Amino acid sequence: MIEKLGLAEVYVFDTSKTTKKELTGIIDWCDTVITQSPAGVQSVAMVLGYQERGKVVVIDYDDLIYSCSPFNPGYKTLGIKEVKTIEKDGTENWIWKDNTMGFSIKDNLLRFRSHFDLLRTTDGITVTTPYLRDAYLSYLPECEDKMFVIPNSIDFDLFKPFPKKQNKRIRIGWIASASHFNEIWIVKEIFDKLYKKYGEEIIFVQLGDVGDLKKAFTPSQMEYHQFVDLGVYPLKFASLNFDIGICPIFDDEFNRNKSQLKWSEYGALKIPSVCSDLPPYSCVADGKTGYLAKTLDEWVEKLSLLIENEKLRREIGENAFQENYEKFNLEKNAKLWVETYENCHQRIMAGQPF
């Protein structure tokens, strides 16, 4: 979007698919290097290498990466404690055991400790919410002057709603990756109550790769779609023709540091949604641009309002669209990235001329 609007020259590349010669040419060409979610000693070396070549380096995070749940696949390289479950009969089941199946506490601790060196070393840090900024600053308050909040935003040229068609059953959708394993039980309990209340009037539609979720529902209750390539994801999302979306998240530190992005994606497609009443969705105006729910009963109550009232679904969906178009529109917000990069560049160049 920055390039499309003519705000700066941009070159996007993947280090794993770029030759050393190509990478050298790219780095020589640019003024500022942006890298997403770096971690580990190699990342510290990478930042120092770019800086030695006279480049300003900005790193970006959308998660508090070292607080993920043991049920998140990322725990394999981010977790620093062994994890096991204990059955009622006392049987122990290891989820993560040191030096087993590629899980190494020693390696992960080294990666964790080097993360602080990385944050101290880089010239700028961008995060997606004030809550996430505060979380990182609680570890490293000295990084305050170089940490900036830029909200996750939507490209409305990509996220376009299809003409709405009438569904035979109310389609309640959930977009979720394998990192949402903890939410399976929340979703199962919600739909157990909804199916008792509405039966075949509704159907649960899931796009993603949440492990074993299909086992919790009968084929007539659930329609499952696998994730698709990012390039066609908005089109696939719109094609599912959701009547209602859900954004359930388990209340833990990792999820509290997430952003509003899923609500924004629903909103861009004019899909009304019900979200967990937690910090990522504090931007949702309850009853106007979506609904917020804390308890199981609240989830069922607010989903029922949308299930039973087509006019309300249209109103909430339109309100969510307008709110996101104003506040989380990538075309409007692209300048925030450029301003941040310029700020970092000017500050570093003024204080540390190369």
Side-chain angles (χ1 to χ4, degrees):
M1 185 61 73
I2 289 170
E3 187 172 44
K4 178 181 176 181
L5 297 175
L7 300 176
E9 293 181 73
V10 176
Y11 192 96
V12 180
F13 66 96
D14 182 342
T15 52
S16 66
K17 300 177 182 178
T18 307
T19 67
K20 185 176 180 179
K21 183 177 180 181
E22 289 172 331
L23 181 58
T24 299
I26 295 167
I27 300 304
D28 286 343
W29 165 84
C30 74
D31 300 300
T32 304
V33 181
I34 318 301
T35 181
Q36 186 179 34
S37 301
V41 175
Q42 298 90 338
S43 294
V44 179
M46 175 191 69
V47 170
L48 289 170
Y50 292 156
Q51 289 172 333
E52 286 173 1
R53 298 175 70 89
K55 310 304 172 181
V56 173
V57 184
V58 180
I59 60 178
D60 175 75
Y61 294 100
D62 189 26
D63 291 304
L64 188 62
I65 59 174
Y66 286 99
S67 64
C68 68
S69 162
F71 295 105
N72 185 323
Y75 197 88
K76 181 176 181 178
T77 57
L78 300 173
I80 53 178
K81 294 181 180 179
E82 293 184 323
V83 180
K84 64 182 177 181
T85 60
I86 301 177
E87 304 291 342
K88 290 181 178 179
D89 62 2
T91 302
E92 295 183 349
N93 297 307
W94 286 97
I95 302 175
W96 299 105
K97 185 173 177 58
D98 195 21
N99 297 316
T100 303
M101 300 296 288
F103 177 65
S104 168
I105 291 178
K106 179 182 177 180
D107 290 347
N108 292 356
L109 274 172
L110 179 61
R111 193 176 290 111
F112 173 72
R113 289 165 181 159
S114 68
H115 189 64
F116 296 103
D117 293 329
L118 177 63
L119 294 174
R120 292 187 185 100
T121 300
T122 191
D123 301 310
I125 306 160
T126 55
V127 295
T128 48
T129 71
Y131 199 98
L132 182 56
R133 182 177 186 270
D134 290 344
Y136 276 115
L137 289 179
S138 68
Y139 293 109
L140 290 170
E142 65 268 31
C143 292
E144 182 175 8
D145 291 342
K146 63 178 180 179
M147 191 172 294
F148 305 87
V149 176
I150 308 178
N152 265 329
S153 300
I154 297 291
D155 186 341
F156 282 84
D157 287 336
L158 297 178
F159 282 81
K160 290 181 176 290
F162 282 14
K164 187 63 181 173
K165 64 180 182 180
Q166 194 70 30
N167 294 313
K168 293 181 180 179
R169 301 167 68 180
I170 300 296
R171 295 171 65 82
I172 305 174
W174 185 35
I175 311 294
S177 67
S179 66
H180 285 276
F181 186 90
N182 277 344
E183 281 73 46
I184 288 178
W185 308 112
I186 299 174
V187 172
K188 179 68 167 63
E189 289 181 338
I190 291 169
F191 277 92
D192 279 348
K193 286 185 173 290
L194 288 177
Y195 276 116
K196 286 180 182 177
K197 188 174 183 179
Y198 295 104
E200 293 294 306
E201 292 181 44
I202 63 171
I203 185 167
F204 173 43
V205 186
Q206 206 262 320
L207 172 64
D209 53 6
V210 181
D212 295 329
L213 183 60
K214 288 185 287 185
K215 296 178 182 179
F217 297 91
T218 67
S220 66
Q221 292 176 325
M222 181 182 181
E223 180 181 310
Y224 174 72
H225 299 263
Q226 289 185 321
F227 265 141
V228 295
D229 184 81
L230 189 61
V232 294
Y233 168 69
L235 185 64
K236 176 67 176 181
F237 197 153
S239 74
L240 294 175
N241 199 36
F242 292 165
D243 293 294
I244 303 166
I246 59 172
C247 304
I249 52 175
F250 184 76
D251 189 2
D252 61 17
E253 184 182 27
F254 184 77
N255 284 333
R256 282 175 168 266
N257 284 283
K258 284 182 172 291
S259 78
Q260 88 305 330
L261 183 59
K262 195 55 59 191
W263 167 76
S264 290
E265 290 181 347
Y266 288 131
L269 299 177
K270 299 188 177 182
I271 300 167
S273 58
V274 181
C275 309
S276 289
D277 190 2
L278 288 169
Y281 302 113
S282 60
C283 57
V284 177
D286 190 36
K288 183 178 180 181
T289 61
Y291 283 105
L292 298 172
K294 288 183 178 179
T295 66
L296 176 60
D297 287 343
E298 284 185 1
W299 272 98
V300 174
E301 173 194 346
K302 293 182 177 183
L303 282 168
S304 295
L305 291 173
L306 292 170
I307 290 169
E308 296 173 11
N309 192 327
E310 182 180 356
K311 181 174 181 290
L312 181 62
R313 294 199 298 272
R314 289 198 303 270
E315 289 177 354
I316 298 290
E318 184 64 35
N319 290 342
F321 175 86
Q322 294 298 335
E323 183 76 359
N324 278 284
Y325 194 83
E326 289 300 315
K327 295 184 178 179
F328 301 107
N329 186 333
L330 187 58
E331 187 168 359
K332 294 182 178 184
N333 291 344
K335 63 181 181 182
L336 300 177
W337 276 269
V338 178
E339 290 170 356
T340 297
Y341 301 153
E342 289 177 341
N343 179 304
C344 294
H345 198 275
Q346 292 167 5
R347 176 172 47 82
I348 295 303
M349 290 304 170
Q352 303 173 24
F354 292 103

